[in-house]
Amino acid sequence: MEILFFAVVAALILGRLYQVLGQNRGAEPPPMRQPPPFGLSKSATQSVDESSIGDEEAKVTDFPVRDYDGPTEAGLKAIQSAVRGFDVSSFLAGARNAYEIIVTAYGSGDEETLRDLLSQEVFSAYQVAMDERRAANAPKIEVIRLGDSKILDAELDGKIARIDVAFSSDLADGGDGLRAADEIWTFEKSVDARDPNWLLSAVRTA
């Protein structure tokens, strides 16, 4: 995990952004929307305005960590013990929502949307990449299809909860056809943070 975390250096991120996000084809992206707080069980999000919760998240059924066995079970249990109300299914639904928002915001150069969704290191790298896209008059990006997502790794590193999620999608950027994007995104948050959202802290090819 340490290798993955430090892989968020600008060179790696910029390379992946330009090769994967920057080269996909499609139509005009939908208006920006803020993601709901994610990673929390329904009982822990009752105070959140229900109108802000996406349809996908509302349809997800909560299930305990014991139902998500395998190599990630220990890490998820540790996170659940440290993050009040943490729920695996709600986290995945929120992560999928965040994926679409982040890709679309990056593709349209929407820095304000990205600012609250990315770690400082990733945000700085995205700013540089978006400047390059604007200079090249690159088209906007849209997520045409988001396939299954899967948690690959999870850990509680001191006060930092960190979860790797694999995404497979088809992206479009105004040209002909689609481009497949298979990536692993690392989300993290401080267990003491009042903000319920997780931040994107690293991206690498799946």
Side-chain angles (χ1 to χ4, degrees):
M1 289 300 300
E2 290 183 357
I3 294 175
L4 176 60
F5 179 68
F6 288 110
V8 72
V9 293
L12 175 61
I13 295 294
L14 290 175
R16 290 302 308 139
L17 285 173
Y18 212 75
Q19 293 171 17
V20 180
L21 296 183
Q23 296 181 8
N24 294 282
R25 305 175 175 83
E28 189 77 3
M32 290 296 99
R33 64 193 189 282
Q34 290 299 322
F38 68 92
L40 302 179
S41 63
K42 292 175 182 176
S43 61
T45 56
Q46 288 178 346
S47 61
V48 178
D49 180 2
E50 291 183 358
S51 65
S52 69
I53 300 178
D55 291 340
E56 181 179 15
E57 182 171 6
K59 294 177 183 177
V60 173
T61 301
D62 295 346
F63 59 91
V65 171
R66 66 174 178 271
D67 292 334
Y68 204 94
D69 55 9
T72 63
E73 182 179 9
L76 290 172
K77 284 184 175 180
I79 291 172
Q80 187 177 54
S81 68
V83 180
R84 181 182 178 186
F86 176 78
D87 174 75
V88 178
S89 58
S90 295
F91 172 84
L92 274 175
R96 288 171 61 84
N97 192 20
Y99 176 90
E100 295 192 66
I101 293 172
I102 290 170
V103 170
T104 306
Y106 164 78
S108 63
D110 185 352
E111 294 186 12
E112 289 307 308
T113 294
L114 293 174
R115 192 179 303 276
D116 295 330
L117 302 176
L118 313 178
S119 69
Q120 185 56 54
E121 293 87 350
V122 176
F123 180 71
S124 296
Y126 270 48
Q127 283 183 306
V128 175
M130 286 187 291
D131 287 343
E132 293 180 355
R133 284 177 51 80
R134 280 189 285 265
N137 197 28
K140 296 181 179 180
I141 297 172
E142 182 180 8
V143 178
I144 301 300
R145 182 195 66 85
L146 178 57
D148 292 338
S149 53
K150 181 181 180 181
I151 294 177
L152 298 183
D153 201 0
E155 69 168 356
L156 182 62
D157 182 10
K159 292 290 186 178
I160 301 298
R162 194 172 295 123
I163 300 179
D164 289 351
V165 182
F167 293 104
S168 178
S169 65
D170 290 327
L171 305 179
D173 68 3
D176 296 328
L178 303 175
R179 181 181 178 89
D182 297 306
E183 297 178 317
I184 298 171
W185 286 26
T186 299
F187 293 95
E188 69 174 41
K189 69 171 294 180
S190 169
V191 299
D192 296 329
R194 299 183 64 181
D195 185 349
N197 278 321
W198 295 62
L199 300 180
L200 175 63
S201 64
V203 177
R204 65 183 176 90
T205 305

Coordinates of all heavy atoms in Angstrom, one line a residue, residues 110-196:
D110 N -13.3 21.4 -14.6 CA -14.1 22.0 -13.5 C -13.3 21.8 -12.2 O -13.4 20.8 -11.4 CB -15.4 21.3 -13.3 CG -16.3 21.9 -12.3 OD1 -15.8 22.7 -11.5 OD2 -17.5 21.5 -12.2
E111 N -12.4 22.7 -11.9 CA -11.5 22.6 -10.7 C -12.3 22.8 -9.4 O -11.9 22.1 -8.4 CB -10.4 23.7 -10.8 CG -9.4 23.5 -12.0 CD -8.3 24.5 -11.9 OE1 -8.1 25.2 -10.9 OE2 -7.5 24.6 -12.9
E112 N -13.3 23.5 -9.4 CA -14.1 23.7 -8.2 C -14.7 22.4 -7.7 O -14.7 22.1 -6.5 CB -15.1 24.8 -8.3 CG -14.6 26.2 -8.5 CD -13.6 26.6 -7.3 OE1 -14.1 26.4 -6.1 OE2 -12.5 27.0 -7.6
T113 N -15.2 21.6 -8.6 CA -15.8 20.4 -8.2 C -14.7 19.4 -7.7 O -14.9 18.7 -6.7 CB -16.5 19.7 -9.4 OG1 -17.7 20.5 -9.8 CG2 -17.0 18.3 -9.1
L114 N -13.6 19.4 -8.4 CA -12.5 18.5 -8.0 C -11.8 18.8 -6.7 O -11.3 18.0 -6.0 CB -11.4 18.5 -9.1 CG -11.9 17.9 -10.5 CD1 -10.8 18.1 -11.5 CD2 -12.2 16.4 -10.3
R115 N -11.8 20.1 -6.3 CA -11.1 20.6 -5.2 C -11.4 19.8 -3.9 O -10.6 19.5 -3.1 CB -11.3 22.0 -5.0 CG -10.3 22.7 -4.0 CD -10.6 24.2 -3.8 NE -10.6 24.8 -5.1 CZ -9.4 25.3 -5.6 NH1 -8.3 25.1 -5.0 NH2 -9.5 25.9 -6.8
D116 N -12.7 19.5 -3.7 CA -13.2 18.8 -2.5 C -13.2 17.3 -2.6 O -13.6 16.6 -1.7 CB -14.6 19.3 -2.1 CG -14.6 20.8 -1.7 OD1 -13.5 21.3 -1.2 OD2 -15.6 21.5 -1.9
L117 N -12.8 16.8 -3.8 CA -12.9 15.3 -4.0 C -11.5 14.7 -4.1 O -11.4 13.4 -4.1 CB -13.7 15.0 -5.2 CG -15.1 15.6 -5.3 CD1 -15.7 15.3 -6.6 CD2 -15.9 14.9 -4.2
L118 N -10.4 15.5 -4.2 CA -9.1 14.9 -4.4 C -8.2 15.3 -3.3 O -8.3 16.4 -2.6 CB -8.5 15.5 -5.7 CG -9.4 15.4 -7.0 CD1 -8.6 16.1 -8.1 CD2 -9.8 14.0 -7.3
S119 N -7.1 14.5 -3.0 CA -6.1 14.9 -2.1 C -5.3 16.1 -2.8 O -5.4 16.3 -4.0 CB -5.1 13.7 -1.9 OG -4.4 13.5 -3.1
Q120 N -4.6 16.8 -2.0 CA -3.9 18.0 -2.5 C -2.9 17.6 -3.6 O -2.7 18.3 -4.6 CB -3.1 18.7 -1.4 CG -2.4 20.0 -1.8 CD -3.4 20.9 -2.5 OE1 -4.4 21.3 -1.9 NE2 -3.1 21.4 -3.7
E121 N -2.2 16.4 -3.4 CA -1.2 16.0 -4.4 C -1.9 15.7 -5.8 O -1.4 16.1 -6.8 CB -0.5 14.7 -3.9 CG 0.4 15.0 -2.8 CD -0.3 14.9 -1.4 OE1 -1.5 14.8 -1.4 OE2 0.4 14.8 -0.4
V122 N -3.0 15.0 -5.7 CA -3.7 14.6 -6.9 C -4.3 15.9 -7.6 O -4.3 16.0 -8.8 CB -4.8 13.5 -6.7 CG1 -5.6 13.2 -7.9 CG2 -4.1 12.2 -6.2
F123 N -4.9 16.7 -6.7 CA -5.5 17.9 -7.3 C -4.5 18.8 -8.0 O -4.7 19.3 -9.1 CB -6.1 18.8 -6.1 CG -6.8 20.0 -6.6 CD1 -7.9 20.0 -7.4 CD2 -6.2 21.3 -6.3 CE1 -8.5 21.2 -7.8 CE2 -6.8 22.5 -6.8 CZ -8.0 22.4 -7.5
S124 N -3.3 18.9 -7.5 CA -2.2 19.7 -8.1 C -1.8 19.1 -9.5 O -1.6 19.8 -10.5 CB -1.0 19.7 -7.2 OG -1.2 20.4 -6.0
A125 N -1.8 17.7 -9.5 CA -1.5 17.1 -10.8 C -2.6 17.2 -11.8 O -2.3 17.5 -13.0 CB -1.2 15.6 -10.5
Y126 N -3.8 17.2 -11.3 CA -5.0 17.4 -12.2 C -5.0 18.8 -12.8 O -5.3 19.0 -14.0 CB -6.3 17.1 -11.5 CG -6.8 15.7 -11.5 CD1 -5.9 14.6 -11.2 CD2 -8.1 15.4 -11.7 CE1 -6.4 13.3 -11.2 CE2 -8.6 14.1 -11.7 CZ -7.7 13.1 -11.5 OH -8.2 11.8 -11.5
Q127 N -4.6 19.8 -12.0 CA -4.6 21.1 -12.5 C -3.6 21.3 -13.6 O -3.9 21.9 -14.6 CB -4.1 22.1 -11.3 CG -5.2 22.4 -10.3 CD -4.8 23.4 -9.3 OE1 -3.8 23.2 -8.6 NE2 -5.5 24.5 -9.1
V128 N -2.4 20.7 -13.5 CA -1.4 20.8 -14.6 C -2.0 20.1 -15.8 O -1.9 20.6 -16.9 CB -0.1 20.1 -14.1 CG1 0.9 20.1 -15.3 CG2 0.5 20.9 -13.0
A129 N -2.6 18.9 -15.6 CA -3.1 18.1 -16.8 C -4.3 18.9 -17.4 O -4.4 18.9 -18.7 CB -3.6 16.8 -16.3
M130 N -5.1 19.5 -16.6 CA -6.2 20.3 -17.2 C -5.7 21.5 -18.0 O -6.3 21.9 -19.0 CB -7.2 20.7 -16.1 CG -8.1 19.5 -15.6 SD -9.4 19.9 -14.5 CE -8.4 20.4 -13.1
D131 N -4.7 22.1 -17.5 CA -4.1 23.3 -18.2 C -3.6 22.8 -19.6 O -3.8 23.5 -20.6 CB -2.9 23.9 -17.4 CG -3.4 24.7 -16.2 OD1 -4.6 25.0 -16.2 OD2 -2.6 24.9 -15.3
E132 N -3.0 21.6 -19.6 CA -2.5 21.1 -20.9 C -3.7 20.8 -21.8 O -3.6 21.0 -23.0 CB -1.7 19.8 -20.6 CG -0.4 20.1 -19.9 CD 0.4 18.8 -19.7 OE1 -0.1 17.7 -20.0 OE2 1.6 18.9 -19.2
R133 N -4.7 20.2 -21.3 CA -5.9 19.9 -22.1 C -6.5 21.2 -22.6 O -6.9 21.2 -23.8 CB -7.0 19.1 -21.3 CG -6.6 17.7 -21.0 CD -7.6 17.0 -20.2 NE -9.0 17.2 -20.7 CZ -9.6 16.5 -21.7 NH1 -8.9 15.6 -22.3 NH2 -10.8 16.8 -22.0
R134 N -6.6 22.2 -21.8 CA -7.2 23.5 -22.3 C -6.3 24.1 -23.4 O -6.8 24.6 -24.4 CB -7.3 24.5 -21.1 CG -8.5 24.3 -20.3 CD -8.7 25.4 -19.3 NE -7.8 25.3 -18.2 CZ -8.1 24.7 -17.0 NH1 -9.2 24.1 -16.8 NH2 -7.1 24.7 -16.1
A135 N -5.0 24.0 -23.2 CA -4.1 24.5 -24.3 C -4.2 23.8 -25.6 O -4.1 24.4 -26.7 CB -2.6 24.5 -23.8
A136 N -4.5 22.5 -25.5 CA -4.7 21.7 -26.7 C -6.1 21.7 -27.2 O -6.4 21.0 -28.2 CB -4.3 20.2 -26.4
N137 N -7.0 22.4 -26.5 CA -8.4 22.5 -26.9 C -9.0 21.1 -26.9 O -9.8 20.7 -27.9 CB -8.6 23.2 -28.3 CG -10.0 23.6 -28.5 OD1 -10.8 23.9 -27.5 ND2 -10.4 23.7 -29.8
A138 N -8.7 20.3 -26.0 CA -9.2 18.9 -25.9 C -10.7 18.9 -25.6 O -11.2 19.7 -24.9 CB -8.4 18.1 -24.8
P139 N -11.4 17.9 -26.2 CA -12.9 17.9 -25.9 C -13.2 17.4 -24.5 O -12.3 16.8 -23.8 CB -13.3 16.8 -27.0 CG -12.1 16.0 -27.2 CD -10.9 16.9 -27.1
K140 N -14.4 17.6 -24.1 CA -14.8 17.2 -22.8 C -15.0 15.7 -22.8 O -15.0 15.0 -23.8 CB -16.2 17.8 -22.4 CG -16.0 19.3 -22.3 CD -17.4 20.0 -21.9 CE -17.2 21.5 -21.7 NZ -18.5 22.2 -21.4
I141 N -15.0 15.1 -21.6 CA -15.1 13.7 -21.4 C -16.4 13.3 -20.7 O -16.9 14.0 -19.8 CB -13.9 13.2 -20.5 CG1 -12.6 13.5 -21.3 CG2 -14.0 11.7 -20.3 CD1 -11.4 13.2 -20.4
E142 N -16.9 12.1 -21.2 CA -18.2 11.6 -20.5 C -18.0 10.1 -20.3 O -17.4 9.4 -21.1 CB -19.4 11.8 -21.5 CG -20.7 11.3 -20.9 CD -21.8 11.5 -21.8 OE1 -21.6 11.9 -22.9 OE2 -23.0 11.3 -21.3
V143 N -18.5 9.7 -19.1 CA -18.5 8.2 -18.8 C -19.7 7.6 -19.5 O -20.9 7.9 -19.1 CB -18.5 8.0 -17.3 CG1 -18.6 6.5 -17.0 CG2 -17.3 8.6 -16.6
I144 N -19.5 6.8 -20.5 CA -20.6 6.2 -21.2 C -21.1 5.0 -20.5 O -22.3 4.7 -20.4 CB -20.2 5.8 -22.7 CG1 -19.7 7.1 -23.4 CG2 -21.3 5.2 -23.4 CD1 -20.8 8.2 -23.5
R145 N -20.2 4.2 -20.0 CA -20.6 3.0 -19.3 C -19.6 2.8 -18.1 O -18.4 2.8 -18.3 CB -20.5 1.7 -20.2 CG -21.0 0.4 -19.5 CD -20.6 -0.8 -20.3 NE -19.1 -0.9 -20.4 CZ -18.4 -1.5 -19.4 NH1 -18.9 -2.0 -18.3 NH2 -17.0 -1.6 -19.6
L146 N -20.2 2.6 -16.9 CA -19.3 2.2 -15.8 C -19.7 0.8 -15.4 O -20.8 0.5 -15.0 CB -19.6 3.1 -14.6 CG -18.8 2.9 -13.3 CD1 -17.3 2.8 -13.6 CD2 -19.1 3.9 -12.3
G147 N -18.7 -0.1 -15.6 CA -19.0 -1.5 -15.3 C -18.9 -1.8 -13.8 O -19.0 -0.9 -13.0
D148 N -18.7 -3.1 -13.5 CA -18.6 -3.5 -12.1 C -17.4 -2.9 -11.4 O -16.3 -2.7 -12.1 CB -18.5 -5.0 -12.0 CG -19.8 -5.7 -12.4 OD1 -20.8 -5.1 -12.4 OD2 -19.7 -6.9 -12.8
S149 N -17.5 -2.6 -10.2 CA -16.4 -2.1 -9.4 C -16.1 -3.0 -8.2 O -17.1 -3.7 -7.8 CB -16.7 -0.7 -8.8 OG -17.9 -0.6 -8.1
K150 N -14.9 -3.1 -7.8 CA -14.5 -4.1 -6.8 C -13.5 -3.6 -5.9 O -12.5 -2.9 -6.3 CB -14.0 -5.4 -7.5 CG -13.6 -6.5 -6.5 CD -13.1 -7.7 -7.2 CE -12.7 -8.8 -6.3 NZ -12.1 -10.0 -7.0
I151 N -13.6 -3.8 -4.6 CA -12.6 -3.4 -3.6 C -11.5 -4.4 -3.7 O -11.7 -5.6 -3.5 CB -13.2 -3.4 -2.2 CG1 -14.2 -2.3 -2.1 CG2 -12.1 -3.2 -1.1 CD1 -14.9 -2.2 -0.7
L152 N -10.3 -4.0 -3.9 CA -9.1 -4.8 -4.1 C -8.2 -4.9 -2.8 O -7.6 -5.9 -2.5 CB -8.2 -4.4 -5.2 CG -8.8 -4.4 -6.6 CD1 -7.8 -3.9 -7.6 CD2 -9.4 -5.8 -7.0
D153 N -8.2 -3.8 -2.0 CA -7.4 -3.7 -0.8 C -8.0 -2.7 0.1 O -8.7 -1.8 -0.3 CB -6.0 -3.4 -1.2 CG -5.0 -3.8 -0.1 OD1 -5.4 -4.3 0.9 OD2 -3.8 -3.5 -0.3
A154 N -7.8 -2.9 1.4 CA -8.3 -2.0 2.4 C -7.3 -2.0 3.6 O -6.8 -3.1 4.0 CB -9.7 -2.3 2.8
E155 N -7.1 -0.9 4.2 CA -6.2 -0.9 5.4 C -6.5 0.4 6.2 O -7.0 1.4 5.8 CB -4.7 -0.8 5.0 CG -4.3 0.5 4.3 CD -2.8 0.6 4.2 OE1 -2.1 -0.3 4.7 OE2 -2.3 1.6 3.7
L156 N -6.2 0.2 7.5 CA -6.2 1.3 8.4 C -4.8 1.6 8.8 O -4.2 0.8 9.6 CB -7.1 1.0 9.7 CG -7.3 2.1 10.7 CD1 -8.0 3.3 10.1 CD2 -8.0 1.6 11.9
D157 N -4.3 2.7 8.3 CA -2.9 3.1 8.5 C -2.8 4.2 9.6 O -2.9 5.4 9.2 CB -2.2 3.5 7.2 CG -0.8 3.9 7.4 OD1 -0.2 3.6 8.4 OD2 -0.2 4.4 6.4
G158 N -2.8 3.8 10.9 CA -2.8 4.8 11.9 C -4.2 5.4 11.9 O -5.2 4.8 12.1
K159 N -4.3 6.7 11.6 CA -5.6 7.4 11.6 C -6.1 7.6 10.2 O -7.2 8.2 10.0 CB -5.5 8.8 12.2 CG -5.2 8.8 13.7 CD -6.4 8.4 14.5 CE -6.2 8.6 16.0 NZ -7.4 8.2 16.7
I160 N -5.5 7.0 9.2 CA -5.9 7.1 7.8 C -6.5 5.7 7.3 O -5.8 4.7 7.4 CB -4.7 7.4 6.9 CG1 -4.1 8.8 7.3 CG2 -5.1 7.5 5.4 CD1 -5.0 9.9 7.2
A161 N -7.7 5.8 6.9 CA -8.4 4.7 6.3 C -8.2 4.8 4.8 O -8.3 5.8 4.2 CB -9.9 4.7 6.6
R162 N -7.8 3.6 4.2 CA -7.4 3.7 2.7 C -8.0 2.4 2.0 O -7.9 1.3 2.5 CB -5.9 3.7 2.6 CG -5.4 4.1 1.2 CD -3.9 4.2 1.3 NE -3.5 5.4 2.1 CZ -2.7 5.3 3.1 NH1 -2.1 4.1 3.5 NH2 -2.4 6.4 3.8
I163 N -8.7 2.7 0.9 CA -9.4 1.6 0.2 C -9.1 1.7 -1.3 O -9.2 2.8 -1.9 CB -10.9 1.6 0.4 CG1 -11.2 1.4 1.9 CG2 -11.6 0.5 -0.4 CD1 -12.7 1.5 2.2
D164 N -8.6 0.6 -1.9 CA -8.4 0.5 -3.4 C -9.6 0.0 -4.0 O -10.1 -1.1 -3.6 CB -7.2 -0.4 -3.7 CG -5.9 0.2 -3.3 OD1 -5.9 1.4 -2.9 OD2 -4.9 -0.5 -3.3
V165 N -10.1 0.6 -5.1 CA -11.3 0.2 -5.8 C -10.9 0.1 -7.3 O -10.3 1.0 -7.9 CB -12.5 1.1 -5.7 CG1 -13.7 0.6 -6.4 CG2 -12.8 1.3 -4.2
A166 N -11.2 -1.1 -7.9 CA -11.0 -1.3 -9.4 C -12.2 -0.8 -10.1 O -13.3 -1.2 -9.8 CB -10.7 -2.7 -9.7
F167 N -12.0 0.0 -11.2 CA -13.1 0.5 -12.0 C -12.8 0.1 -13.5 O -11.7 0.1 -13.9 CB -13.2 2.0 -12.0 CG -13.6 2.6 -10.6 CD1 -12.7 3.2 -9.8 CD2 -15.0 2.5 -10.2 CE1 -13.1 3.7 -8.6 CE2 -15.4 3.0 -9.0 CZ -14.5 3.6 -8.2
S168 N -13.9 -0.3 -14.2 CA -13.8 -0.5 -15.6 C -14.9 0.3 -16.3 O -16.1 0.1 -15.9 CB -14.0 -2.0 -15.9 OG -14.0 -2.3 -17.2
S169 N -14.5 1.1 -17.2 CA -15.5 2.0 -17.8 C -15.2 2.2 -19.3 O -14.1 1.9 -19.8 CB -15.5 3.4 -17.1 OG -14.3 4.0 -17.3
D170 N -16.2 2.7 -20.0 CA -16.0 3.1 -21.4 C -16.2 4.7 -21.4 O -17.2 5.2 -20.9 CB -17.0 2.5 -22.3 CG -16.8 1.0 -22.5 OD1 -15.6 0.6 -22.5 OD2 -17.8 0.3 -22.7
L171 N -15.2 5.4 -21.9 CA -15.2 6.8 -21.9 C -15.3 7.4 -23.3 O -14.8 6.7 -24.3 CB -13.9 7.3 -21.2 CG -13.6 6.8 -19.8 CD1 -12.3 7.4 -19.3 CD2 -14.8 7.1 -18.9
A172 N -15.8 8.5 -23.5 CA -15.9 9.2 -24.8 C -15.5 10.6 -24.6 O -15.7 11.3 -23.6 CB -17.3 9.1 -25.3
D173 N -14.8 11.2 -25.7 CA -14.4 12.6 -25.6 C -14.6 13.4 -26.9 O -13.8 14.2 -27.3 CB -12.9 12.6 -25.2 CG -12.0 12.1 -26.3 OD1 -12.5 11.7 -27.4 OD2 -10.7 12.0 -26.1
G174 N -15.7 13.1 -27.5 CA -16.1 13.9 -28.7 C -15.7 13.3 -30.0 O -16.1 13.8 -31.1
G175 N -14.9 12.2 -30.0 CA -14.5 11.6 -31.3 C -15.4 10.4 -31.6 O -16.5 10.3 -31.1
D176 N -14.9 9.6 -32.5 CA -15.6 8.4 -32.9 C -15.3 7.2 -32.0 O -14.1 7.0 -31.8 CB -15.3 8.0 -34.4 CG -15.8 9.1 -35.3 OD1 -16.8 9.8 -35.0 OD2 -15.1 9.3 -36.4
G177 N -16.2 6.5 -31.6 CA -16.0 5.3 -30.8 C -15.7 5.6 -29.3 O -15.8 6.7 -28.9
L178 N -15.4 4.5 -28.6 CA -15.1 4.6 -27.2 C -13.7 4.1 -26.8 O -13.1 3.4 -27.6 CB -16.2 3.8 -26.4 CG -17.7 4.1 -26.6 CD1 -18.5 3.2 -25.9 CD2 -17.9 5.6 -26.2
R179 N -13.3 4.4 -25.6 CA -12.0 3.9 -25.2 C -12.2 3.3 -23.8 O -12.8 3.9 -22.9 CB -11.0 5.0 -25.1 CG -9.6 4.5 -24.6 CD -8.6 5.6 -24.6 NE -7.3 5.2 -24.1 CZ -6.3 4.8 -24.9 NH1 -6.5 4.7 -26.1 NH2 -5.2 4.4 -24.3
A180 N -11.7 2.0 -23.6 CA -11.9 1.4 -22.3 C -10.9 2.0 -21.3 O -9.7 2.2 -21.7 CB -11.7 -0.1 -22.5
A181 N -11.3 2.1 -20.1 CA -10.4 2.6 -19.0 C -10.5 1.6 -17.9 O -11.6 1.5 -17.3 CB -10.8 4.0 -18.6
D182 N -9.4 0.9 -17.6 CA -9.4 0.0 -16.5 C -8.3 0.5 -15.5 O -7.1 0.5 -15.8 CB -9.0 -1.4 -16.9 CG -10.1 -2.0 -17.9 OD1 -11.3 -2.0 -17.5 OD2 -9.7 -2.4 -19.0
E183 N -8.8 1.0 -14.3 CA -7.9 1.6 -13.4 C -8.2 1.2 -12.0 O -9.3 0.7 -11.7 CB -8.0 3.2 -13.5 CG -7.6 3.7 -14.8 CD -7.8 5.2 -14.9 OE1 -8.8 5.7 -14.4 OE2 -6.9 5.9 -15.4
I184 N -7.3 1.5 -11.1 CA -7.4 1.3 -9.6 C -7.3 2.6 -9.0 O -6.3 3.3 -9.1 CB -6.4 0.3 -9.1 CG1 -6.6 -1.1 -9.7 CG2 -6.6 0.1 -7.6 CD1 -5.5 -2.1 -9.4
W185 N -8.3 3.0 -8.3 CA -8.3 4.3 -7.6 C -8.2 4.0 -6.1 O -8.9 3.2 -5.5 CB -9.6 5.1 -7.9 CG -9.7 5.7 -9.2 CD1 -9.1 5.3 -10.4 CD2 -10.5 6.8 -9.6 NE1 -9.4 6.1 -11.4 CE2 -10.3 7.0 -11.0 CE3 -11.4 7.7 -8.9 CZ2 -10.9 8.1 -11.7 CZ3 -12.0 8.7 -9.6 CH2 -11.7 8.9 -11.0
T186 N -7.4 4.8 -5.4 CA -7.3 4.7 -4.0 C -8.0 5.9 -3.3 O -7.7 7.1 -3.6 CB -5.8 4.8 -3.6 OG1 -5.1 3.7 -4.1 CG2 -5.7 4.7 -2.0
F187 N -9.0 5.6 -2.5 CA -9.7 6.6 -1.7 C -9.2 6.5 -0.2 O -8.9 5.4 0.3 CB -11.2 6.3 -1.7 CG -11.8 6.4 -3.0 CD1 -12.0 5.3 -3.9 CD2 -12.3 7.7 -3.5 CE1 -12.6 5.5 -5.1 CE2 -12.9 7.8 -4.7 CZ -13.0 6.7 -5.6
E188 N -9.1 7.7 0.4 CA -8.7 7.7 1.8 C -9.3 8.8 2.6 O -9.9 9.7 2.0 CB -7.1 7.8 1.9 CG -6.6 9.2 1.5 CD -5.1 9.3 1.7 OE1 -4.4 8.3 1.5 OE2 -4.7 10.4 2.2
K189 N -9.3 8.6 3.9 CA -9.9 9.7 4.7 C -9.3 9.5 6.1 O -8.9 8.4 6.5 CB -11.4 9.6 4.8 CG -12.0 8.4 5.5 CD -13.5 8.6 5.7 CE -13.8 9.7 6.7 NZ -15.2 9.9 6.9
S190 N -9.2 10.6 6.9 CA -8.8 10.5 8.3 C -10.0 10.1 9.1 O -11.2 10.5 8.9 CB -8.3 11.9 8.8 OG -8.2 11.9 10.2
V191 N -9.8 9.1 10.0 CA -10.9 8.6 10.8 C -11.5 9.7 11.7 O -12.6 9.6 12.2 CB -10.5 7.4 11.6 CG1 -10.1 6.3 10.7 CG2 -9.4 7.7 12.6
D192 N -10.7 10.8 11.9 CA -11.1 11.9 12.8 C -11.8 13.0 12.0 O -12.3 14.0 12.6 CB -9.9 12.5 13.5 CG -9.3 11.5 14.5 OD1 -10.0 10.6 15.0 OD2 -8.1 11.5 14.7
A193 N -11.8 12.9 10.7 CA -12.4 14.0 9.9 C -13.9 14.1 10.1 O -14.6 13.1 10.1 CB -12.0 13.8 8.4
R194 N -14.4 15.3 10.1 CA -15.8 15.5 10.2 C -16.5 15.4 8.9 O -17.6 15.0 8.8 CB -16.1 16.9 10.8 CG -15.5 17.2 12.2 CD -15.9 18.5 12.7 NE -17.3 18.7 12.9 CZ -17.9 19.8 13.3 NH1 -17.1 20.9 13.6 NH2 -19.2 19.9 13.5
D195 N -15.7 15.6 7.8 CA -16.3 15.4 6.5 C -16.4 13.9 6.2 O -15.4 13.2 6.3 CB -15.3 16.1 5.4 CG -15.9 16.0 4.0 OD1 -16.9 15.3 3.8 OD2 -15.3 16.7 3.1
P196 N -17.6 13.5 5.9 CA -17.8 12.0 5.6 C -17.3 11.5 4.3 O -17.2 10.3 4.1 CB -19.3 11.9 5.7 CG -19.8 13.2 5.2 CD -18.9 14.2 5.8

